[in-house]
Amino acid sequence: MPAKPGSASLAEFEIVVAVAPESGADQVVRDLQRARAKVRRLWPMPDKLPSDADVLVVEFSDRLTDRLPWMPGESRSAVVVVIGPNRAPDPARLCETTPEAVIYMPAQTETIAGVVALARSQFDYTKRLRDRIERLDENLRTIRNVERAKAILISARGMNDEAAYKFLRTQAMDRRTTVNAIAAAIIDSFELLG
């Protein structure tokens, strides 16, 4: 179950921890359980990480992007990368994983829970922005389709701008569909007929 936006309570999260014991897995799990998070531990790290968790806390490796169950930039979970002691990751490889946060081990006690909560909050915020951008893109496509369909109606039927839009609205209401669907159908027919 996804956490509520802006919530800092880890009790609402399901967290998968895929960190080697020598990289501080026990400390990560202990800090998260202390914050009442639902923690599922995976080790050795599977070829594909699960996509059903709210947060993935994973050890960095060169193959980490191959193990994520989505394409970069399309994540369904917040990703927190753990860098084990005495390890220096390649910055380009680290950026490819698009993590919301990075934890360098050993970490101070009880800081891990705060980093994970912040990472999930950042993930939720970014997801809301992506959703808003998608809606705005869809609105822009609709406006472009409607304007193009109106131009076709004006040229093919000799209508004025207002009459063309009224025609689109009437057709949409009669067919119980959207103005955009009617506009797209007019554009498709026009292109098909040349």
Side-chain angles (χ1 to χ4, degrees):
M1 169 191 293
K4 295 173 190 148
S7 173
S9 172
L10 290 182
E12 300 173 24
F13 297 130
E14 180 169 333
I15 302 170
V16 169
V17 176
V19 177
E22 62 272 11
S23 294
D26 292 336
Q27 181 187 356
V28 171
V29 170
R30 193 172 41 250
D31 280 5
L32 293 172
Q33 286 175 336
R34 196 175 294 132
R36 302 187 192 284
K38 297 174 206 98
V39 179
R40 182 170 29 143
R41 194 168 181 173
L42 292 177
W43 197 259
M45 190 181 298
D47 288 335
K48 279 291 178 198
L49 290 159
S51 62
D52 62 343
D54 294 310
V55 181
L56 293 175
V57 179
V58 295
E59 183 170 352
F60 178 78
S61 72
D62 287 339
R63 288 194 49 237
L64 183 55
T65 52
D66 299 334
R67 294 172 190 257
L68 293 172
W70 51 72
M71 298 297 293
E74 298 176 4
S75 60
R76 292 179 289 242
S77 304
V79 177
V80 177
V81 172
V82 174
I83 310 294
N86 305 319
R87 299 189 83 191
D90 174 21
R93 291 259 187 202
L94 183 59
C95 289
E96 285 175 3
T97 63
T98 63
E100 275 71 33
V102 177
I103 299 172
Y104 286 89
M105 297 302 282
Q108 291 182 347
T109 306
E110 298 181 8
T111 59
I112 294 169
V115 170
V116 170
L118 181 62
R120 182 58 199 202
S121 177
Q122 181 64 32
F123 174 81
D124 289 340
Y125 176 71
T126 303
K127 186 175 184 321
R128 285 192 307 274
L129 288 178
R130 273 197 213 113
D131 292 346
R132 185 172 182 196
I133 289 169
E134 284 178 24
R135 284 192 309 272
L136 291 171
D137 282 347
E138 182 59 34
N139 289 344
L140 188 57
R141 279 190 293 275
T142 297
I143 290 168
R144 286 181 182 152
N145 281 349
V146 168
E147 290 301 316
R148 188 154 178 227
K150 282 182 359 185
I152 290 168
L153 290 171
I154 289 168
S155 130
R157 291 200 170 182
M159 297 177 165
N160 65 25
D161 192 67
E162 188 176 324
Y165 184 71
K166 187 174 180 182
F167 175 82
L168 291 171
R169 274 191 24 223
T170 303
Q171 291 297 313
M173 285 189 287
D174 290 349
R175 288 174 169 69
R176 294 185 178 171
T177 188
T178 64
V179 171
N180 186 37
I182 297 297
I186 289 171
I187 293 166
D188 289 344
S189 323
F190 179 75
E191 288 175 352
L192 183 67
L193 297 173

